[in-house]
C-alpha cells in the first residue's frame, strides 16, 4: 500500500498536480520528522553525493557525514565564498549551512526553511557555529531585502515548492549584482523542459549543468546501512521512510539508477547590470 501511494505521489508531482496541497503536505511531513527524528548526529536530510575520486578535507567530527556534505561541496566548489553573504533556501536540519559556515569563511550564512519545527531543530543542532542563523520563511516569498546576498544555495528542496518560477524570481531579487545561485535537485526526465522554464523565470544566466545521478546513487549505497538501522528504530512509517529516504530497493532509488529520475546541479549568475 505504501509503495502504491508513493507511486501516485510521484506521478502527481510529475504532472504538476495539486501544487498548494503538496506544499502543505511537505511542510507537515518535515514538521513530523523534526519532532520524531531527534538524533543529534543527523544534521542532513539530503540523498548525498559521492563522485569517484573527489576527495576533500573534513574534520574527524564531520567525516561520518561525508556523503551528505558532498552535495554542498560540489555546490560551492570554486565560488568566491570567503567574506560572502550566503543564503540557503530549504536548509532543513542545517548541516549543509553549517558546513559552509565552518569550512569556507563566509561573512555569514542564513538558513531558511518553511517548517518551524525543522528550523527549531536546526538551531539546536548547530548552536556551536557563531556565523550561522536560521529563520522560518517561504521560498516563494523570501523575507529579505533586495540584493541581500552574494550566494544563494538550494539543495534538494525545490521539488517541494508550489510555484518554482516565483521562487526563482525571489532568488534573483535577493541576489546582489554579480551574485551566484547554486542549485541541485532531482526531476523526472520528462520534467526537464519544464524545469528550464521554471528556473529561467529568474532572468539569471545559466553557467553550467551537471548530472549528479551516478554520484548520488553511490552516496545512497554508502549510507544505506546506517540509514536503515535508524529507520528500524522508528515505531511507525518504516515503509514510507524507506521510500522517502531513497533506501536501496525503494522506488526513488530504482528510478535514479535507471535514469527515469535525474539528479541535476546547476549554477546561475546575476549580471552586473
Amino acid at each position: 500500500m505504501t509503495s502504491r501511494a508513493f507511486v501516485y505521489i510521484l506521478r502527481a508531482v510529475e504532472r504538476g498536480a495539486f501544487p498548494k496541497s503538496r506544499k502543505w503536505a511537505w511542510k507537515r511531513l518535515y514538521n513530523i520528522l523534526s519532532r520524531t527524528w531527534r538524533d543529534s548526529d543527523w544534521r542532513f536530510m539530503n540523498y548525498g553525493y559521492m563522485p569517484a575520486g573527489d576527495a576533500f578535507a573534513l574534520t574527524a567530527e564531520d567525516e561520518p557525514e561525508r556523503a551528505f556534505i558532498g552535495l554542498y561541496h560540489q555546490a560551492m566548489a570554486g565560488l568566491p565564498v570567503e567574506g560572502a553573504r550566503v543564503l540557503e533556501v530549504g536548509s532543513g536540519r542545517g548541516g549543509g549551512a553549517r558546513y559552509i559556515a565552518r569550512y569556507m569563511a563566509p561573512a555569514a550564512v542564513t538558513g531558511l526553511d518553511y517548517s518551524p519545527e525543522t528550523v527549531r531543530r536546526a538551531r539546536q543542532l548547530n548552536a556551536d557555529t557563531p556565523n550561522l542563523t536560521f529563520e522560518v520563511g517561504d521560498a516563494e516569498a523570501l523575507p529579505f531585502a533586495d540584493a541581500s546576498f552574494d550566494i544563494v544555495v538550494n539543495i534538494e528542496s525545490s521539488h517541494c515548492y508550489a510555484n518554482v518560477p516565483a521562487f526563482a524570481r525571489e532568488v534573483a531579487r535577493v541576489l546582489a549584482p554579480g551574485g551566484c545561485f547554486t542549485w541541485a535537485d532531482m526531476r523526472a526526465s520528462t520534467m526537464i523542459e519544464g524545469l528550464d522554464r521554471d528556473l529561467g523565470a529568474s532572468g539569471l544566466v545559466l553557467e553550467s549543468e551537471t548530472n549528479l545521478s551516478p554520484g548520488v546513487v553511490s552516496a545512497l549505497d554508502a549510507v544505506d546501512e546506517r540509514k536503515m538501522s535508524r529507520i528500524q528504530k522508528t515505531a511507525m512509517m518504516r515503509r514510507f521512510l524507506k521510500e522517502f529516504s531513497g533506501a536501496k530497493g525503494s522506488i526513488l532509488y530504482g528510478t535514479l539508477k535507471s535514469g527515469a529520475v535525474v539528479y541535476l546541479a546547476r549554477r546561475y549568475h546575476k549580471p552586473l547590470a
Side-chain angles (χ1 to χ4, degrees):
M1 181 66 180
T2 302
S3 295
R4 287 199 299 273
F6 208 80
V7 169
Y8 177 80
I9 292 168
L10 289 176
R11 296 295 175 261
V13 170
E14 189 170 346
R15 296 194 311 271
F18 317 120
K20 291 183 179 180
S21 297
R22 286 191 285 109
K23 181 177 177 179
W24 175 86
W26 282 117
K27 181 179 180 180
R28 293 275 296 176
L29 174 61
Y30 282 110
N31 277 338
I32 291 168
L33 287 175
S34 293
R35 290 192 200 105
T36 59
W37 197 308
R38 303 182 61 83
D39 307 49
S40 61
D41 62 337
W42 284 94
R43 288 190 173 94
F44 292 87
M45 301 179 76
N46 67 57
Y47 279 14
Y49 177 61
M50 293 185 70
D54 184 22
F56 54 94
L58 290 173
T59 64
E61 177 190 9
D62 292 330
E63 188 61 41
E65 312 297 341
R66 174 174 292 276
F68 305 116
I69 289 172
L71 274 173
Y72 288 86
H73 177 74
Q74 68 79 32
M76 307 302 289
L79 295 182
V81 187
E82 186 173 352
R85 301 164 298 169
V86 179
L87 168 67
E88 183 183 8
V89 181
S91 51
R93 296 167 74 93
R98 179 178 184 269
Y99 169 71
I100 296 167
R102 289 165 66 93
Y103 283 81
M104 299 183 177
V109 179
T110 302
L112 179 129
D113 202 276
Y114 194 45
S115 161
E117 290 291 340
T118 302
V119 169
R120 191 173 296 115
R121 191 76 186 121
R123 288 170 177 164
Q124 293 170 349
L125 289 172
N126 304 287
D128 60 347
T129 306
N131 58 336
L132 174 60
T133 58
F134 294 96
E135 297 187 25
V136 178
D138 189 338
E140 298 161 31
L142 295 173
F144 306 109
D146 296 358
S148 297
F149 299 96
D150 305 300
I151 299 172
V152 176
V153 188
N154 186 243
I155 302 293
E156 204 173 298
S157 179
S158 65
H159 62 274
C160 300
Y161 304 163
N163 190 335
V164 175
F167 158 66
R169 288 190 289 268
E170 281 291 273
V171 169
R173 180 183 65 79
V174 302
L175 266 180
C180 177
F181 172 40
T182 179
W183 171 95
D185 206 349
M186 66 196 104
R187 291 292 190 277
S189 57
T190 56
M191 299 174 68
I192 303 304
E193 185 177 343
L195 175 68
D196 295 340
R197 290 194 302 271
D198 289 349
L199 294 182
S202 66
L204 301 175
V205 178
L206 177 64
E207 290 185 343
S208 65
E209 177 181 281
T210 306
N211 185 342
L212 303 182
S213 298
V216 172
V217 171
S218 294
L220 289 171
D221 289 341
V223 303
D224 191 71
E225 184 176 347
R226 176 187 175 195
K227 188 184 299 180
M228 288 306 301
S229 175
R230 177 58 182 82
I231 289 172
Q232 291 304 320
K233 297 177 184 177
T234 305
M236 299 187 303
M237 301 195 310
R238 288 181 186 173
R239 290 180 63 190
F240 176 81
L241 287 172
K242 181 179 178 181
E243 294 291 343
F244 173 76
S245 67
K248 284 185 178 181
S250 68
I251 295 165
L252 274 175
Y253 179 89
T255 54
L256 277 168
K257 201 162 186 177
S258 71
V261 170
V262 184
Y263 205 120
L264 296 175
R266 290 183 176 184
R267 287 186 181 181
Y268 295 80
H269 76 268
K270 184 172 183 175
L272 290 171

